[in-house]
């Protein structure tokens, strides 16, 4: 998943990648050069994590504070995964900006869409019959049914899947009519 911090979602300010992490010294350095004052391994919802905090006295007079944290009184806080996981996550997120990665992921998304359609339309999570010959025949029939559905959608120009419309949007559409 992409970085979901408020700074990363807004596309402005300093997200976690703007901070330099020194794993050996157990401290982080902000983009302005200030170092963290607190590094604590914790367990959050059963998952190991590391909480890194910057002193509020350092962050409060900072000129770019509004680009760094939403806290009105405290300093910036970072939540990291253990070192090996965090480095792997950072590497994976860096790869996601590459066009080759996006092309490979587009193929994966197509396969996942096909699997979703097979499960939703034909109920392929469980076989209805016992025995390999009957189960194989059920799979063949399910594949034929999916191919016929896709051909019908292609010939008639219908999208394969409906896009989700929220309850609020449906209400708005019903009021507009």
């Amino acid at each position: 998943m992409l970085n979901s911090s408020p700074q990363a979602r807004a596309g402005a300010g300093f997200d976690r990648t703007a901070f330099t992490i020194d794993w050996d010294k157990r401290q982080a350095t902000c983009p302005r050069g200030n170092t963290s004052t607190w590094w604590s391994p914790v367990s959050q919802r059963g998952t190991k994590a590391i909480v890194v905090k910057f002193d509020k006295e350092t962050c409060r007079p900072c000129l770019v504070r509004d680009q760094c944290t939403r806290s009105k009184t405290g300093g910036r806080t970072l939540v990291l995964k253990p070192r090996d996981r965090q480095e792997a996550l950072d590497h994976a997120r860096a790869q996601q900006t590459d066009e080759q990665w996006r092309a490979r992921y587009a193929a994966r998304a197509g396969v996942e869409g096909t699997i979703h359609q097979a499960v939703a339309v034909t109920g392929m999570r469980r076989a209805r019959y016992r025995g390999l010959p009957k189960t194989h025949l059920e799979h063949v029939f399910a594949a034929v049914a999916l191919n016929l559905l896709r051909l019908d959608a292609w010939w008639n120009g219908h999208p394969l899947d409906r896009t989700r419309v929220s309850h609020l949007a449906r209400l708005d559409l019903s009021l507009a009519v």
Side-chain angles (χ1 to χ4, degrees):
M1 241 172 86
L2 291 175
N3 189 347
S4 61
S5 70
Q7 294 84 3
R9 283 192 313 250
F14 303 117
D15 64 353
R16 212 245 4 109
T17 58
F19 291 79
T20 305
I21 308 298
D22 189 344
W23 295 96
D24 299 324
K25 291 183 180 178
R26 295 173 54 131
Q27 64 182 185
T29 306
C30 79
R32 302 274 298 186
N34 298 316
T35 57
S36 62
T37 56
W38 198 68
W39 179 289
S40 178
V42 297
S43 178
Q44 292 183 332
R45 295 181 293 280
T47 304
K48 291 182 180 178
I50 299 167
V51 176
V52 180
K53 291 184 180 181
F54 288 84
D55 188 31
K56 63 182 176 184
E57 301 304 326
T58 304
C59 291
R60 195 174 292 145
C62 185
L63 300 174
V64 291
R65 177 182 173 83
D66 58 332
Q67 296 177 359
C68 190
T69 183
R70 294 184 298 180
S71 173
K72 302 296 181 202
T73 58
R76 174 68 188 256
T77 301
L78 299 174
V79 178
L80 307 172
K81 298 185 182 319
R83 183 177 187 167
D84 55 341
R85 290 184 189 162
Q86 187 67 49
E87 288 173 348
L89 181 63
D90 291 343
H91 178 69
R93 285 179 177 165
Q95 284 182 330
Q96 289 180 8
T97 60
D98 184 31
E99 286 301 319
Q100 289 177 342
W101 183 90
R102 289 177 188 231
R104 284 194 320 267
Y105 190 78
R108 177 183 170 173
V111 170
E112 287 180 359
T114 302
I115 292 170
H116 169 73
Q117 187 180 25
V119 170
V121 172
T122 65
M124 292 301 300
R125 286 249 191 256
R126 292 188 176 270
R128 290 180 180 90
Y129 308 103
R130 288 189 185 180
L132 194 56
K134 289 182 183 178
T135 304
H136 176 70
L137 186 63
E138 179 184 10
H139 288 172
V140 170
F141 284 154
V144 169
L146 288 175
N147 286 337
L148 290 174
L149 286 171
R150 288 175 171 238
L151 280 172
D152 177 59
W154 185 58
W155 285 331
N156 294 321
H158 299 294
L160 285 175
D161 198 12
R162 300 179 313 271
T163 55
R164 183 182 177 281
V165 179
S166 70
H167 297 295
L168 186 62
R170 267 188 268 147
L171 180 63
D172 187 40
L173 289 174
S174 67
L175 291 176
V177 173

